[in-house]
Amino acid sequence: MIRWAAVPEMGKQAMNRDAGEVKNGSMQARVIAEMRRRIIDGDVAPGASLSETVLADEFGVSRTPVREALKQLQTEGLVEIRPRVGTFVTTPSRREITELFEMKELIEGAAARLLAQRGRVPEIDSLERNLREADAAVEQDDRERYAALVQEFHDLLIAGSDNSKLQAHYRILMNQLAYSRLVNTSLSQPGRASQSDREHHLVLELILEKDGDSAERVMREHVRASRRALLAGLPVDGRRASAKPKPGLAGS
Amino acid sequence: MIRWAAVPEMGKQAMNRDAGEVKNGSMQARVIAEMRRRIIDGDVAPGASLSETVLADEFGVSRTPVREALKQLQTEGLVEIRPRVGTFVTTPSRREITELFEMKELIEGAAARLLAQRGRVPEIDSLERNLREADAAVEQDDRERYAALVQEFHDLLIAGSDNSKLQAHYRILMNQLAYSRLVNTSLSQPGRASQSDREHHLVLELILEKDGDSAERVMREHVRASRRALLAGLPVDGRRASAKPKPGLAGS
DNA sequence: TCAAGCCCTCTTGCATGGCACAGGACCCTA
DNA sequence: TAGGGTCCTGTGCCATGCAAGAGGGCTTGA
């Protein structure tokens, strides 16, 4: 599974190190990467308290780099710092999830349009290979493999937009959604996998025809469909998929 | 010493994303707001070095809150921190400006669509008032006033989308573009103001007709037109608007 | 005069400690 | 027992000190 290792900044350079391990000597960079991974993967529960002291103790560093790391994660929307109270893992409300999906629809649609305008680029080849493998996965009813391929399809689309700003904003959105975990929920709906596969084929077909308008429109419809499938398989409270709904939480 | 105390009002509105009502009286919040204002308003030159120590001295605080403030501005894309070297105000390249405008087109178009879908909301009234005043400003050839109204028009549109994530991402984009300064360059093109005013009228008209598709399409065209007008008045090297129009304009 | 290497200064990165405030447990009183 | 006030603990916030790396200037040699 392709996972963008980190979103250190939205500035100029995208990936100074060629992916993989963030061996960036900086302590806080390691803390940021690890904490982000924990939140996105659900290793820490939404709403959980993140104490500076215990994190500093755990990582073997002082409180300063931990503090700066948490501050950055706050700007990414992954944690919430309540002054003089504590730092907590954010829990997107149902409304926020809807907003995030609106943004997802927007950005992925635009990426499809931009890719269509670019003509034959290497990402197109990767997308074709991806769909061939996805067809096989659907055929074999290998949902886990298909989920990974779906993730890759969308990642390739975004990369194919050739717009670094679009890519940066997209990563932040996906992190806030913890999308990699949500995909499985979406695909658990009966028939969704094959339907999704067909929609992917249609989008790529329109891209190959250089029909940017249609590619964008169909891609948007695809995102809406995937959102419907996702929300249908989600508990009504609309919290993150990590379960363990807190009872005492004040209603939205 | 205590120069910031002499600054009358550093930030009219908090701009804390994620609906944080944090009226953070903390030092670093003040430093963040003030430094952001300076960069966006151009009080500090692009590429300029921002030393932690001199800023700390100037704000009358220690290096720690300054350091954390700069770190946040980095995630917003306003400064670049080179480890062990220094912090510098970012200078968007021409390519990045193009990418930012693509995102602007995207988001404002979506905002127009979303607003059209919402029906009659208070923002609509504000937009109608805004256009009445804009008509008057164009009539009187008051470019400065019209620039302010253009800014308000776009802000109202974004606010009318009723999508907090969209608003947050939009603000980051506009900050990176230092758009408030660019508007003047764009409007310096002959006939651009009245043209822009007509486009605004058309967009609002389509919104009132609840024609989201057309509103989005026209809004996108409007953004592209404004971008063309802007780039036509910008020096070829594509740096920030330091107002030094070179005659030899590369074709585009 | 020019070039190369060394050193010195300036920069950020991190550790540590004190401080003020929020929240809850506890105690005192009625 | 119930209510209210107080203290204690935990938290983030900030100041300060030390260390390491990067860059430029200076010296020295050819």
Side-chain angles (χ1 to χ4, degrees):
Chain A
M1 167 186 303
I2 294 180
R3 177 186 302 286
W4 282 311
V7 189
E9 60 190 332
M10 302 187 31
K12 314 182 69 96
Q13 79 213 9
M15 305 218 174
N16 42 7
R17 299 303 152 135
D18 47 348
E21 302 284 333
V22 182
K23 196 57 176 78
N24 207 337
S26 169
M27 276 302 184
Q28 64 180 265
R30 245 175 293 184
V31 176
I32 289 173
E34 172 62 12
M35 290 309 300
R36 179 163 37 214
R37 189 200 60 76
R38 289 187 189 178
I39 294 174
I40 295 173
D41 290 356
D43 290 357
V44 291
S49 166
L50 300 176
S51 164
E52 285 184 4
T53 54
V54 307
L55 286 177
D57 209 42
E58 180 181 342
F59 283 96
V61 298
S62 80
R63 277 162 38 215
T64 305
V66 171
R67 172 179 173 71
E68 294 178 0
L70 292 179
K71 204 130 193 69
Q72 165 143 0
L73 292 179
Q74 180 190 32
T75 72
E76 292 180 19
L78 294 181
V79 306
E80 177 190 0
I81 300 178
R82 290 212 287 271
R84 299 238 158 45
V85 177
T87 303
F88 305 88
V89 180
T90 55
T91 67
S93 64
R94 194 175 187 84
R95 178 194 171 103
E96 282 178 309
I97 291 180
T98 299
E99 293 184 351
L100 288 169
F101 263 100
E102 278 180 354
M103 293 294 293
K104 183 174 189 288
E105 174 184 335
L106 195 66
I107 290 184
E108 292 191 352
R113 171 191 292 271
L114 290 171
L115 181 54
Q117 292 171 350
R118 287 184 66 203
R120 189 96 197 166
V121 291
E123 283 86 356
I124 300 280
D125 297 330
S126 301
L127 284 169
E128 288 179 331
R129 175 194 49 76
N130 174 279
L131 285 191
R132 281 197 300 273
E133 297 183 20
D135 290 343
V138 169
E139 187 76 19
Q140 301 164 11
D141 203 25
D142 186 346
R143 187 192 300 167
E144 189 173 351
R145 169 130 189 80
Y146 184 71
L149 288 168
V150 164
Q151 183 103 342
E152 191 195 45
F153 181 89
H154 289 245
D155 290 350
L156 285 170
L157 197 71
I158 298 297
S161 74
D162 195 37
N163 182 320
S164 65
K165 300 294 177 186
L166 185 143
Q167 295 174 28
H169 285 270
Y170 183 75
R171 287 175 218 178
I172 291 179
L173 287 176
M174 291 302 98
N175 285 346
Q176 288 187 15
L177 264 178
Y179 192 70
S180 53
R181 286 188 299 141
L182 293 185
V183 166
N184 292 308
T185 303
S186 166
L187 292 176
S188 67
Q189 297 295 99
R192 177 59 199 153
S194 61
Q195 173 76 19
S196 159
D197 193 40
R198 280 196 299 274
E199 293 167 355
H200 283 182
H201 272 283
L202 182 51
V203 168
L204 183 55
E205 192 175 317
L206 292 168
I207 288 175
L208 286 171
E209 294 174 4
K210 298 192 193 308
D211 186 351
D213 286 354
S214 302
E216 176 168 20
R217 180 172 45 78
V218 171
M219 190 65 203
R220 285 192 178 191
E221 290 170 3
H222 167 59
V223 173
R224 280 198 294 275
S226 105
R227 169 175 165 272
R228 280 193 298 272
L230 170 65
L231 293 184
L234 217 58
V236 277
D237 65 357
R239 298 291 176 179
R240 286 204 177 183
S242 141
K244 189 184 167 191
K246 290 190 185 173
L249 207 41
S252 58
Chain B
M1 256 322 224
I2 324 184
R3 224 192 92 194
W4 57 267
V7 177
E9 188 67 80
M10 51 183 59
K12 49 184 56 175
Q13 131 245 32
M15 172 162 275
N16 290 328
R17 69 199 87 280
D18 293 334
E21 55 151 355
V22 209
K23 64 184 60 152
N24 224 337
S26 70
M27 289 313 254
Q28 63 179 269
R30 254 177 289 185
V31 176
I32 290 173
E34 171 62 11
M35 291 308 300
R36 180 162 39 208
R37 189 199 62 75
R38 288 188 190 177
I39 295 174
I40 295 173
D41 291 355
D43 291 356
V44 291
S49 164
L50 300 175
S51 166
E52 288 182 5
T53 54
V54 308
L55 286 178
D57 209 43
E58 180 180 339
F59 284 95
V61 297
S62 80
R63 274 179 44 219
T64 306
V66 171
R67 173 179 175 71
E68 295 178 0
L70 292 178
K71 203 130 193 65
Q72 166 142 359
L73 292 179
Q74 180 190 33
T75 72
E76 293 181 17
L78 294 181
V79 305
E80 177 189 1
I81 299 178
R82 291 213 287 271
R84 308 281 181 191
V85 177
T87 303
F88 306 88
V89 180
T90 55
T91 67
S93 65
R94 194 176 186 84
R95 178 194 171 101
E96 282 178 309
I97 290 181
T98 299
E99 293 184 352
L100 288 169
F101 264 100
E102 277 180 354
M103 292 295 292
K104 183 173 189 288
E105 175 184 334
L106 195 64
I107 290 185
E108 293 191 352
R113 171 192 293 270
L114 290 171
L115 181 53
Q117 292 171 351
R118 286 184 67 203
R120 187 99 198 165
V121 290
E123 284 85 357
I124 301 280
D125 297 329
S126 301
L127 284 169
E128 287 179 332
R129 175 194 52 73
N130 174 277
L131 284 191
R132 282 195 301 272
E133 299 183 21
D135 290 343
V138 170
E139 188 76 20
Q140 303 164 10
D141 204 25
D142 186 347
R143 188 192 298 168
E144 190 174 349
R145 169 129 189 80
Y146 183 71
L149 287 168
V150 164
Q151 183 102 344
E152 191 195 44
F153 182 88
H154 289 246
D155 288 347
L156 283 170
L157 197 72
I158 297 297
S161 74
D162 195 37
N163 182 321
S164 65
K165 299 295 177 188
L166 185 142
Q167 296 175 28
H169 286 267
Y170 182 76
R171 294 215 177 277
I172 293 179
L173 287 176
M174 292 302 98
N175 286 345
Q176 289 187 15
L177 263 177
Y179 191 70
S180 54
R181 287 189 298 141
L182 293 186
V183 166
N184 293 310
T185 303
S186 166
L187 293 176
S188 67
Q189 296 295 316
R192 178 59 198 152
S194 60
Q195 173 76 18
S196 159
D197 193 40
R198 280 197 298 275
E199 292 167 355
H200 284 182
H201 274 284
L202 181 52
V203 168
L204 183 55
E205 192 176 316
L206 291 169
I207 288 175
L208 287 171
E209 292 174 4
K210 298 191 193 310
D211 187 351
D213 285 354
S214 301
E216 175 168 20
R217 181 171 45 78
V218 171
M219 188 67 204
R220 284 192 178 190
E221 290 169 3
H222 166 60
V223 173
R224 279 197 295 273
S226 106
R227 169 174 165 272
R228 280 193 297 270
L230 169 66
L231 292 184
L234 217 57
V236 278
D237 62 358
R239 297 296 175 177
R240 287 204 178 182
S242 64
K244 189 176 58 175
K246 292 184 186 174
L249 193 48
S252 71

